[in-house]
Amino acid sequence: MKVIVAGAGIGGLTLALMLHRRGIEVEVYEQSPQVREVGVGINTLPHAIRELAEIGLLPALDNVGVRTRELFYYNRYGQEVWREPRGTDAGHPVPQFSIHRGRLQKVIHDGLVQRAGEAVVKTGLQLTGFMQDEGGVTAHFADAVTGGAATTVTGDVLVCADGIHSVGRRSFYPNEGPPSWTGVLMWRGAAMWTPWGDGRTMAIGGGMGAKFVLYPIAHPEGGRQLMNWVVNIKMADGANSSPQKESWSRPAQRSLVIPYAKRFRIPGFDHVGLVEATEQIFEYPMADRDPLPQWTFGRVTLLGDAAHPMYPVGSNGASQAILDARALADALAAAEHPCQALYAYQQDRLPKTAEVVRLNRKGGPERVIDEAEKRAPAGFERIDDVMSRAERQAIVGGYAGKAGFATDKDKVAELRVANG
Ligand SMILES: Cc1cc2nc3c(=O)[nH]c(=O)nc-3n(C[C@H](O)[C@H](O)[C@H](O)COP(=O)(O)OP(=O)(O)OC[C@H]3O[C@@H](n4cnc5c(N)ncnc54)[C@H](O)[C@@H]3O)c2cc1C
């Protein structure tokens, strides 16, 4: 069996590594001229890290990422709404990592080329179309610089792991149009700064219309640490398509962001100073797409953001792509026919990820601060007077359960709430 993967993002590379381990031939085609360390911070949850640990990547992840220890939710005045341990500190067998997205991608890429050789990833080639019949699938790639036809590849299966603007998805759903946007813009950046607390802690502050996210993405060095931040602001209401094509690499003006950053307080941390010290700021419209009825069409399927782009809340984008990769690799290794495997993969993963897309639209676990703001817009003395602990636990732990990373404690708390 030979599998062609379009897209060397976190999803496509993880799938290739897992297929190689199962003795399945795989080739990855990536439109960028090389696999570069692009992006800023990303969080990867324990259920996905378990998969990466199983393929031997834990030591490499530990070299470049931070084992997230605790997560705080604040209102915009810096008053604590919720706190919880994360990763191994929450009782998971493996950590959650706060990590630079490009370094996470590099860890997986390096793992793949070390095991399967450099030639397995072919860069500068953009999937433009494909054809399939009973004997196999033929994928067409263009030179990503000139746009001219570059190569045609045949295989048994084509996996489109080509992100939110997936060519594969568009060919099956030509009338779908651009991603949907509810008017929230995200500005993101990272800079070397004084560590916050123990250097392994994450914070999300704000409320319904605006949020500030803060977490470290590298180990401290000489009293400084690479700190990632995000400002999310609701700019427009009722819009359904964003003003520009979604790109994770669009630069933004610092002067535009500072006034918004000043709306928040993170206790004991000069987050405005961090934003001011950030050299490159990126702007991204918080966009997703409606869950699809079908990902698999014969020998071709979708994976990761191509299949289920979701709002980047709740740390699930990369995590769900990794879980897709595991499910698809297992299905391909077990099935007698590739089409059977692709169908089984869809039946397993489509409903689970559709649920996460829907939950993220409602705010994901961060809904706990939205709810606190709704009830106490001017702040509070005691959060327990605003929302009970059980209510807060139900929002945060309920999300973890549905996204597949609940601890036993979350499950017990959910049962208690369900039973009054
Ligand atoms: C440049 C970039 C920066 C990002 N930065 C962040 C970040 O800082 N924080 C965050 O939370 N999330 C970020 N994301 C999104 C995050 O990586 C994904 O949500 C998640 O990892 C799921 O990954 P994926 O592999 O499905 O898709 P992606 O990570 O989007 O990867 C898709 C890959 O496919 C390639 N590709 C696209 N079209 C074609 C084509 N026609 N032919 C061949 N290759 C193609 C792309 O170049 C890309 O390498 C970023 C994504 C990208 C592409």
Side-chain angles (χ1 to χ4, degrees):
M1 166 137 40
K2 176 176 163 188
V3 177
I4 306 164
V5 179
I10 286 152
L13 290 171
T14 306
L15 175 68
L17 191 41
M18 289 175 167
L19 290 174
H20 178 74
R21 275 175 66 91
R22 288 162 178 75
I24 297 174
E25 188 187 348
V26 59
E27 282 173 1
V28 185
Y29 291 81
E30 164 59 41
Q31 66 177 8
S32 305
Q34 68 212 69
V35 178
R36 285 180 304 124
E37 290 190 21
V38 277
V40 202
I42 206 162
N43 268 280
T44 316
L45 299 168
H47 55 349
I49 294 298
R50 185 182 58 214
E51 303 301 344
L52 299 184
E54 217 179 289
I55 50 178
L57 299 184
L58 197 52
L61 288 168
D62 262 322
N63 284 339
V64 293
V66 175
R67 290 182 173 227
T68 324
R69 190 183 65 80
E70 197 164 17
L71 167 61
F72 284 82
Y73 289 106
Y74 298 111
N75 66 4
R76 59 178 287 210
Y77 308 103
Q79 294 164 328
E80 187 181 313
V81 174
W82 183 254
R83 72 161 78 178
E84 61 181 23
R86 303 291 284 188
T88 46
D89 291 276
H92 290 284
V94 288
Q96 166 176 336
F97 277 106
S98 299
I99 191 166
H100 188 288
R101 182 232 176 228
R103 292 184 192 152
L104 169 63
Q105 187 183 17
K106 185 170 185 307
V107 164
I108 306 168
H109 177 256
D110 288 354
L112 175 64
V113 299
Q114 272 158 21
R115 293 161 175 87
E118 294 266 350
V120 72
V121 182
K122 298 167 200 310
T123 53
L125 293 167
Q126 187 169 46
L127 178 72
T128 50
F130 47 84
M131 288 170 65
Q132 57 175 317
D133 58 28
E134 280 173 17
V137 56
T138 304
H140 301 285
F141 293 90
D143 181 308
V145 178
T146 65
T151 187
T152 293
V153 189
T154 56
D156 298 287
V157 164
L158 169 66
V159 181
C160 301
D162 50 347
I164 191 167
H165 300 293
S166 167
V167 166
R169 179 171 179 133
R170 195 162 58 241
S171 78
F172 295 124
Y173 298 94
N175 301 321
E176 192 185 20
S180 55
W181 183 57
T182 49
V184 176
L185 267 190
M186 288 167 43
W187 289 295
R188 313 169 302 132
M192 291 301 281
W193 199 248
T194 315
W196 184 48
D198 65 356
R200 289 174 49 205
T201 300
M202 182 172 174
I204 304 181
M208 289 167 296
K211 292 193 175 64
F212 190 91
V213 182
L214 174 75
Y215 54 89
I217 51 172
H219 300 296
E221 271 178 51
R224 316 273 281 172
Q225 189 170 24
L226 189 60
M227 299 295 292
N228 181 84
W229 59 266
V230 187
V231 172
N232 292 342
I233 302 285
K234 182 117 177 141
M235 303 294 282
D237 239 331
N240 50 25
S241 82
S242 81
Q244 316 112 342
K245 187 175 178 192
E246 296 65 26
S247 161
W248 284 95
S249 314
R250 177 177 297 110
Q253 292 286 334
R254 190 180 301 110
S255 57
L256 194 67
V257 187
I258 303 279
Y260 291 109
K262 285 184 175 162
R263 290 185 181 187
F264 309 97
R265 240 196 107 238
I266 303 288
F269 190 77
D270 176 12
H271 70 285
V272 177
L274 174 67
V275 174
E276 280 166 345
T278 304
E279 273 175 34
Q280 262 195 314
I281 298 180
F282 301 98
E283 178 181 295
Y284 186 82
M286 200 191 268
D288 71 356
R289 291 182 183 275
D290 286 340
L292 292 175
Q294 192 178 345
W295 297 346
T296 291
F297 297 81
R299 294 174 176 273
V300 184
T301 196
L302 310 175
L303 181 142
D305 278 6
H308 47 70
M310 52 182 66
Y311 292 160
V313 299
S315 312
N316 256 298
S319 303
Q320 294 296 331
I322 292 167
L323 297 181
D324 289 350
R326 171 65 195 258
L328 182 52
D330 281 351
L332 283 165
E336 278 170 20
H337 193 279
C339 294
Q340 203 186 336
L342 266 48
Y343 179 75
Y345 153 73
Q346 167 191 284
Q347 295 307 92
D348 174 16
R349 294 295 300 155
L350 193 153
K352 291 176 187 160
T353 51
E355 178 74 359
V356 184
V357 170
R358 284 190 282 265
L359 285 171
N360 283 9
R361 283 184 176 174
K362 291 185 195 149
E366 295 162 23
R367 201 160 59 77
V368 74
I369 50 180
D370 299 351
E371 202 54 44
E373 185 182 65
K374 217 184 287 173
R375 297 183 196 186
F380 49 79
E381 297 239 322
R382 277 172 25 99
I383 183 64
D384 290 329
D385 298 337
V386 178
M387 275 173 96
S388 72
R389 190 177 165 76
E391 265 184 289
R392 287 172 284 147
Q393 170 73 51
I395 294 174
V396 181
Y399 179 85
K402 297 215 168 72
F405 66 101
T407 58
D408 289 343
K409 216 170 107 203
D410 290 327
K411 288 176 195 156
V412 170
E414 218 185 342
L415 268 178
R416 275 207 195 112
V417 172
N419 294 319

